[in-house]
PDB file of all heavy atoms in Angstrom:
ATOM      1  N   TRP A 218     -10.429  20.009  -8.251  1.00  0.00           N
ATOM      2  CA  TRP A 218     -10.618  18.610  -8.030  1.00  0.00           C
ATOM      3  C   TRP A 218     -11.413  18.034  -9.184  1.00  0.00           C
ATOM      4  O   TRP A 218     -11.081  16.857  -9.657  1.00  0.00           O
ATOM      5  CB  TRP A 218     -11.386  18.343  -6.723  1.00  0.00           C
ATOM      6  CG  TRP A 218     -10.491  18.419  -5.506  1.00  0.00           C
ATOM      7  CD1 TRP A 218     -10.596  19.337  -4.511  1.00  0.00           C
ATOM      8  CD2 TRP A 218      -9.379  17.568  -5.138  1.00  0.00           C
ATOM      9  NE1 TRP A 218      -9.530  19.090  -3.583  1.00  0.00           N
ATOM     10  CE2 TRP A 218      -8.851  18.019  -3.938  1.00  0.00           C
ATOM     11  CE3 TRP A 218      -8.789  16.464  -5.804  1.00  0.00           C
ATOM     12  CZ2 TRP A 218      -7.717  17.408  -3.354  1.00  0.00           C
ATOM     13  CZ3 TRP A 218      -7.731  15.842  -5.142  1.00  0.00           C
ATOM     14  CH2 TRP A 218      -7.248  16.291  -3.934  1.00  0.00           C
ATOM     15  N   ARG A 219     -12.376  18.726  -9.737  1.00  0.00           N
ATOM     16  CA  ARG A 219     -13.205  18.144 -10.746  1.00  0.00           C
ATOM     17  C   ARG A 219     -12.389  18.043 -12.126  1.00  0.00           C
ATOM     18  O   ARG A 219     -12.585  17.077 -12.814  1.00  0.00           O
ATOM     19  CB  ARG A 219     -14.518  18.933 -10.979  1.00  0.00           C
ATOM     20  CG  ARG A 219     -15.470  18.765  -9.898  1.00  0.00           C
ATOM     21  CD  ARG A 219     -16.773  19.567  -9.956  1.00  0.00           C
ATOM     22  NE  ARG A 219     -17.608  19.259  -8.899  1.00  0.00           N
ATOM     23  CZ  ARG A 219     -18.712  19.887  -8.538  1.00  0.00           C
ATOM     24  NH1 ARG A 219     -19.018  21.066  -9.217  1.00  0.00           N
ATOM     25  NH2 ARG A 219     -19.494  19.461  -7.588  1.00  0.00           N
ATOM     26  N   GLN A 220     -11.540  18.970 -12.318  1.00  0.00           N
ATOM     27  CA  GLN A 220     -10.639  18.893 -13.443  1.00  0.00           C
ATOM     28  C   GLN A 220      -9.742  17.687 -13.378  1.00  0.00           C
ATOM     29  O   GLN A 220      -9.499  17.006 -14.337  1.00  0.00           O
ATOM     30  CB  GLN A 220      -9.850  20.233 -13.583  1.00  0.00           C
ATOM     31  CG  GLN A 220      -9.249  20.375 -14.902  1.00  0.00           C
ATOM     32  CD  GLN A 220      -8.760  21.865 -15.172  1.00  0.00           C
ATOM     33  OE1 GLN A 220      -8.462  22.606 -14.153  1.00  0.00           O
ATOM     34  NE2 GLN A 220      -8.672  22.272 -16.382  1.00  0.00           N
ATOM     35  N   TRP A 221      -9.218  17.465 -12.151  1.00  0.00           N
ATOM     36  CA  TRP A 221      -8.352  16.283 -11.917  1.00  0.00           C
ATOM     37  C   TRP A 221      -9.125  15.003 -12.143  1.00  0.00           C
ATOM     38  O   TRP A 221      -8.627  14.144 -12.908  1.00  0.00           O
ATOM     39  CB  TRP A 221      -7.734  16.315 -10.531  1.00  0.00           C
ATOM     40  CG  TRP A 221      -6.787  15.278 -10.319  1.00  0.00           C
ATOM     41  CD1 TRP A 221      -5.452  15.222 -10.684  1.00  0.00           C
ATOM     42  CD2 TRP A 221      -7.036  13.929  -9.734  1.00  0.00           C
ATOM     43  NE1 TRP A 221      -4.895  13.962 -10.296  1.00  0.00           N
ATOM     44  CE2 TRP A 221      -5.897  13.197  -9.783  1.00  0.00           C
ATOM     45  CE3 TRP A 221      -8.181  13.353  -9.219  1.00  0.00           C
ATOM     46  CZ2 TRP A 221      -5.752  11.902  -9.316  1.00  0.00           C
ATOM     47  CZ3 TRP A 221      -8.120  12.106  -8.688  1.00  0.00           C
ATOM     48  CH2 TRP A 221      -6.891  11.395  -8.744  1.00  0.00           C
ATOM     49  N   ALA A 222     -10.296  14.930 -11.564  1.00  0.00           N
ATOM     50  CA  ALA A 222     -11.065  13.770 -11.677  1.00  0.00           C
ATOM     51  C   ALA A 222     -11.552  13.415 -13.111  1.00  0.00           C
ATOM     52  O   ALA A 222     -11.767  12.311 -13.525  1.00  0.00           O
ATOM     53  CB  ALA A 222     -12.301  13.801 -10.811  1.00  0.00           C
ATOM     54  N   SER A 223     -11.587  14.483 -13.961  1.00  0.00           N
ATOM     55  CA  SER A 223     -12.045  14.271 -15.299  1.00  0.00           C
ATOM     56  C   SER A 223     -11.093  13.426 -16.098  1.00  0.00           C
ATOM     57  O   SER A 223     -11.379  12.960 -17.232  1.00  0.00           O
ATOM     58  CB  SER A 223     -12.261  15.629 -16.017  1.00  0.00           C
ATOM     59  OG  SER A 223     -11.010  16.275 -16.198  1.00  0.00           O
ATOM     60  N   GLN A 224      -9.827  13.215 -15.632  1.00  0.00           N
ATOM     61  CA  GLN A 224      -8.886  12.413 -16.352  1.00  0.00           C
ATOM     62  C   GLN A 224      -9.169  10.932 -16.213  1.00  0.00           C
ATOM     63  O   GLN A 224      -8.625  10.119 -16.909  1.00  0.00           O
ATOM     64  CB  GLN A 224      -7.479  12.640 -15.837  1.00  0.00           C
ATOM     65  CG  GLN A 224      -7.006  14.046 -15.865  1.00  0.00           C
ATOM     66  CD  GLN A 224      -5.692  14.269 -15.139  1.00  0.00           C
ATOM     67  OE1 GLN A 224      -4.675  13.784 -15.481  1.00  0.00           O
ATOM     68  NE2 GLN A 224      -5.769  14.970 -14.010  1.00  0.00           N
ATOM     69  N   CYS A 225     -10.079  10.547 -15.299  1.00  0.00           N
ATOM     70  CA  CYS A 225     -10.317   9.172 -15.040  1.00  0.00           C
ATOM     71  C   CYS A 225     -11.050   8.524 -16.281  1.00  0.00           C
ATOM     72  O   CYS A 225     -12.072   9.057 -16.705  1.00  0.00           O
ATOM     73  CB  CYS A 225     -11.222   9.007 -13.809  1.00  0.00           C
ATOM     74  SG  CYS A 225     -11.585   7.323 -13.352  1.00  0.00           S
ATOM     75  N   THR A 226     -10.482   7.489 -16.748  1.00  0.00           N
ATOM     76  CA  THR A 226     -10.952   6.805 -17.911  1.00  0.00           C
ATOM     77  C   THR A 226     -11.779   5.538 -17.658  1.00  0.00           C
ATOM     78  O   THR A 226     -12.201   4.830 -18.509  1.00  0.00           O
ATOM     79  CB  THR A 226      -9.833   6.466 -18.851  1.00  0.00           C
ATOM     80  OG1 THR A 226      -8.924   5.604 -18.151  1.00  0.00           O
ATOM     81  CG2 THR A 226      -9.143   7.645 -19.342  1.00  0.00           C
ATOM     82  N   TYR A 227     -11.917   5.214 -16.361  1.00  0.00           N
ATOM     83  CA  TYR A 227     -12.634   4.034 -15.911  1.00  0.00           C
ATOM     84  C   TYR A 227     -14.076   3.983 -16.449  1.00  0.00           C
ATOM     85  O   TYR A 227     -14.819   4.968 -16.263  1.00  0.00           O
ATOM     86  CB  TYR A 227     -12.636   3.868 -14.475  1.00  0.00           C
ATOM     87  CG  TYR A 227     -13.321   2.603 -13.975  1.00  0.00           C
ATOM     88  CD1 TYR A 227     -12.768   1.300 -14.144  1.00  0.00           C
ATOM     89  CD2 TYR A 227     -14.573   2.730 -13.293  1.00  0.00           C
ATOM     90  CE1 TYR A 227     -13.419   0.201 -13.661  1.00  0.00           C
ATOM     91  CE2 TYR A 227     -15.223   1.586 -12.860  1.00  0.00           C
ATOM     92  CZ  TYR A 227     -14.673   0.335 -13.026  1.00  0.00           C
ATOM     93  OH  TYR A 227     -15.308  -0.802 -12.627  1.00  0.00           O
ATOM     94  N   ALA A 228     -14.506   2.941 -17.115  1.00  0.00           N
ATOM     95  CA  ALA A 228     -15.819   2.902 -17.682  1.00  0.00           C
ATOM     96  C   ALA A 228     -16.670   1.760 -17.236  1.00  0.00           C
ATOM     97  O   ALA A 228     -17.713   1.387 -17.761  1.00  0.00           O
ATOM     98  CB  ALA A 228     -15.701   2.815 -19.248  1.00  0.00           C
ATOM     99  N   GLY A 229     -16.190   1.037 -16.160  1.00  0.00           N
ATOM    100  CA  GLY A 229     -16.839  -0.146 -15.661  1.00  0.00           C
ATOM    101  C   GLY A 229     -17.879   0.168 -14.561  1.00  0.00           C
ATOM    102  O   GLY A 229     -18.293   1.317 -14.374  1.00  0.00           O
ATOM    103  N   ASP A 230     -18.382  -0.859 -13.982  1.00  0.00           N
ATOM    104  CA  ASP A 230     -19.396  -0.739 -12.920  1.00  0.00           C
ATOM    105  C   ASP A 230     -18.817  -0.029 -11.642  1.00  0.00           C
ATOM    106  O   ASP A 230     -17.561  -0.019 -11.433  1.00  0.00           O
ATOM    107  CB  ASP A 230     -19.981  -2.109 -12.513  1.00  0.00           C
ATOM    108  CG  ASP A 230     -20.719  -2.680 -13.675  1.00  0.00           C
ATOM    109  OD1 ASP A 230     -21.190  -1.939 -14.484  1.00  0.00           O
ATOM    110  OD2 ASP A 230     -20.886  -3.969 -13.687  1.00  0.00           O
ATOM    111  N   HIS A 231     -19.664   0.439 -10.749  1.00  0.00           N
ATOM    112  CA  HIS A 231     -19.212   1.059  -9.546  1.00  0.00           C
ATOM    113  C   HIS A 231     -18.229   2.185  -9.660  1.00  0.00           C
ATOM    114  O   HIS A 231     -17.225   2.254  -9.044  1.00  0.00           O
ATOM    115  CB  HIS A 231     -18.691  -0.019  -8.582  1.00  0.00           C
ATOM    116  CG  HIS A 231     -19.618  -1.150  -8.381  1.00  0.00           C
ATOM    117  ND1 HIS A 231     -20.812  -1.008  -7.673  1.00  0.00           N
ATOM    118  CD2 HIS A 231     -19.690  -2.449  -8.806  1.00  0.00           C
ATOM    119  CE1 HIS A 231     -21.504  -2.186  -7.639  1.00  0.00           C
ATOM    120  NE2 HIS A 231     -20.811  -3.073  -8.324  1.00  0.00           N
TER     121      HIS A 231
END
Side-chain angles (χ1 to χ4, degrees):
W218 281 115
R219 288 178 176 167
Q220 197 165 24
W221 183 83
S223 69
Q224 301 170 69
C225 182
T226 57
Y227 178 72
D230 294 337
H231 305 291

